[in-house]
Amino acid sequence: GQASVRYDRLHCAQAELGTADVTVDGEYAGTGRGARAVARAEADLGPAVMLGHGEGGMLTPYWVERSDGGFSGGIILAGTPRQMWELVYDQNLAMLEGSSAETIATAIAQLDAEKEKLATLDGMSAEELRTTTVFGIPGPYLAHLNRIDALALAHQNNAPLLILQGEEDFQVIYDVDFAAWKAGLA
């Protein structure tokens, strides 16, 4: 008795579009609305729930809020309320485990240089943003993503959320990310 529609981010499905100007809304919104319309046309649906995995999980409270009641709640799989750059930074540090001290020092210097770029995003012109990446993420996308506060939105929309996270997931840190949800929603 349950219907589901799975869809990929726009630029994963159509990489030829490029990512220089993409924002969170440009990446997900149209595809998400289209998926919901397909589901509604194919089935007699009751309340709809947004399920997001990874980055989609990070954004689930955002999409529930932006749906104007279209989603009655959300399911977050391996998402975090932390900023994307924090997650990428930690993932890169974890990959260095077992490396030489020299390799670690070089990598940390590179990670810190990327982190320093974050402080400049808000002051950049649209053209500067288009030509900037931080941790490999296009400037316009990361600038938009950094303005989304998943915890504040979860409180604001007051929709029920089911948050699931594996203790041994290597892309999010259970003791950090799941604990941040628990503390922030307590």
Side-chain angles (χ1 to χ4, degrees), residues 1-168:
Q2 302 293 316
S4 66
V5 175
R6 182 191 186 282
Y7 64 93
D8 289 321
R9 298 166 29 167
L10 178 63
H11 289 86
C12 285
Q14 297 179 340
E16 70 277 4
L17 295 176
T19 59
D21 294 315
V22 73
T23 64
V24 171
D25 289 340
E27 183 74 351
Y28 289 97
T31 314
R33 279 192 299 272
R36 208 164 121 239
V38 166
R40 291 213 181 275
E42 296 294 323
D44 182 22
L45 297 178
V49 175
M50 167 61 82
L51 183 150
H53 177 262
E55 185 177 338
M58 293 173 68
L59 292 167
T60 294
Y62 180 72
W63 295 120
V64 170
E65 176 67 25
R66 303 259 318 183
S67 75
D68 295 323
F71 294 116
S72 61
I75 302 172
I76 298 169
L77 300 175
T80 180
R82 294 189 299 151
Q83 291 291 322
M84 175 64 83
W85 72 265
E86 294 173 285
L87 193 63
V88 172
Y89 191 93
D90 286 350
Q91 288 170 347
N92 277 276
L93 286 178
M95 288 190 301
L96 293 170
E97 202 170 295
S99 297
S100 70
E102 181 181 332
T103 298
I104 291 171
T106 300
I108 287 175
Q110 291 170 339
L111 290 170
D112 288 342
E114 288 296 293
K115 190 170 139 182
E116 287 177 20
K117 285 198 252 177
L118 288 166
T120 65
L121 287 180
D122 286 340
M124 288 185 181
S125 69
E127 184 55 35
E128 288 171 318
L129 273 176
R130 288 185 83 247
T131 59
T132 299
T133 62
V134 181
F135 295 111
I137 304 167
Y141 189 85
L142 190 58
H144 187 185
L145 195 59
N146 284 345
R147 291 190 299 271
I148 297 172
D149 184 338
L151 284 171
L153 289 169
H155 283 286
Q156 181 179 320
N157 65 38
N158 204 31
L161 293 173
L162 173 61
I163 303 170
L164 303 169
Q165 192 164 326
E167 290 183 19
E168 297 191 28

